[in-house]
Amino acid sequence: MRHSAFVYEDDEAMVGKLAPWLAVAVTDKTPVVVVLERRKWQLVATALGSDADAILSLDPDVFLTRPEAALAGFDAAFRRLLPNGTSAARVYGEPPWRVEAEWDGWIAFEAIFNRAFAHQPGWALCGYDTRDVPEPALDGAFATHPEILTDSWTRNPRYEKPEDVVRSHTPTPVPIVGLRALPLRRGPQRFRENLRAELDAAGVSKLDAKGMLIAVEEVLTHMRRDGGQKLGVSVGRVGDRFACEISEAGAEIDDPLAGFLPPQPEHPDRGGLWIARQLTQQLELMRSPHGMTVRLWV
């Protein structure tokens, strides 16, 4: 997967570079997906004329809700657009930068994209409109894309390893006090009943509660498969959210991309952390002198 950043300053520059890039793919009968706000897409579509009809246009407010969901969306799109016999696909999108608290997550998303879809044939182009993109996000564009398009295509000497970018843009989790321990020794059925009771008592919605129940089971399965013996689970309400911490003494997850990479068909059993990230609002990995903790939030 070729992953490039397109930095532009106005609508004319956007249309002038993007429309020809898309038109080449349409001419070559390459599958094309565009994730772009309506106003900009209409400008590009007008320049493309009838070629725009061959392009799948997706609403970013629906597709780019959070990085974990966007990774799953692109994974599904590539699997659909690249069946056996299809040589490549082209994708264009612009990450959302509306909420400052989410900037780190989207910069990390751009870095993860390089690892998550390295095996997929195609070209992903990410737009950065300097009228709207904050300076930290623009710096992130240079850290996460091996190639940059401004006036011309150039190799990017500022590109960094995805793992390093994700580490630097992942906040250190803050310890939580007051969580209650849920015993595991009474068996899985009793544990699920106790966890469900805690979720109900905390007023967690049925949909979020169902996601948390499945996510916790997936994390426990992941830890047990990797040799986890001394497992512990603690839960509780924290403000208007619900947290669940699954700890394993002696364990270590040193990969900052853990749970971000889509599971592959040859290893369908290795997707526990991926599923947990998809079914909860947030997953945090924490080290301690005693082992490793996975914290889930809804």
Side-chain angles (χ1 to χ4, degrees), residues 146-167:
E147 184 179 49
I148 301 290
L149 170 62
T150 50
D151 293 330
S152 60
W153 297 103
T154 58
R155 299 301 298 174
N156 174 22
R158 294 167 56 186
Y159 177 71
E160 301 176 22
K161 289 177 57 178
E163 292 80 1
D164 293 340
V165 175
V166 174
R167 282 192 183 96

Side-chain angles (χ1 to χ4, degrees), residues 35 59-66 70 74 93-96 98 106 109:
V35 188
D59 182 351
D61 290 337
V62 175
F63 195 81
L64 302 177
T65 55
R66 63 191 189 104
F74 279 117
E94 298 189 356
R98 295 180 296 272
W106 287 110
F109 162 84

Side-chain angles (χ1 to χ4, degrees), residues 79-163:
R79 291 176 190 272
R80 184 172 68 253
L81 294 172
L82 297 170
N84 293 334
T86 302
S87 59
R90 285 197 181 190
V91 176
Y92 180 81
E94 298 189 356
W97 306 107
R98 295 180 296 272
V99 181
E100 184 174 355
E102 297 176 355
W103 291 353
D104 280 329
W106 287 110
I107 293 170
F109 162 84
E110 289 278 43
I112 295 163
F113 194 99
N114 293 289
R115 292 282 188 262
F117 305 113
H119 63 291
Q120 296 286 12
W123 193 351
L125 181 61
C126 303
Y128 286 78
D129 185 343
T130 58
R131 296 169 296 183
D132 304 319
V133 176
E135 194 64 31
L138 195 57
D139 289 340
F142 285 90
T144 56
H145 295 82
E147 184 179 49
I148 301 290
L149 170 62
T150 50
D151 293 330
S152 60
W153 297 103
T154 58
R155 299 301 298 174
N156 174 22
R158 294 167 56 186
Y159 177 71
E160 301 176 22
K161 289 177 57 178
E163 292 80 1

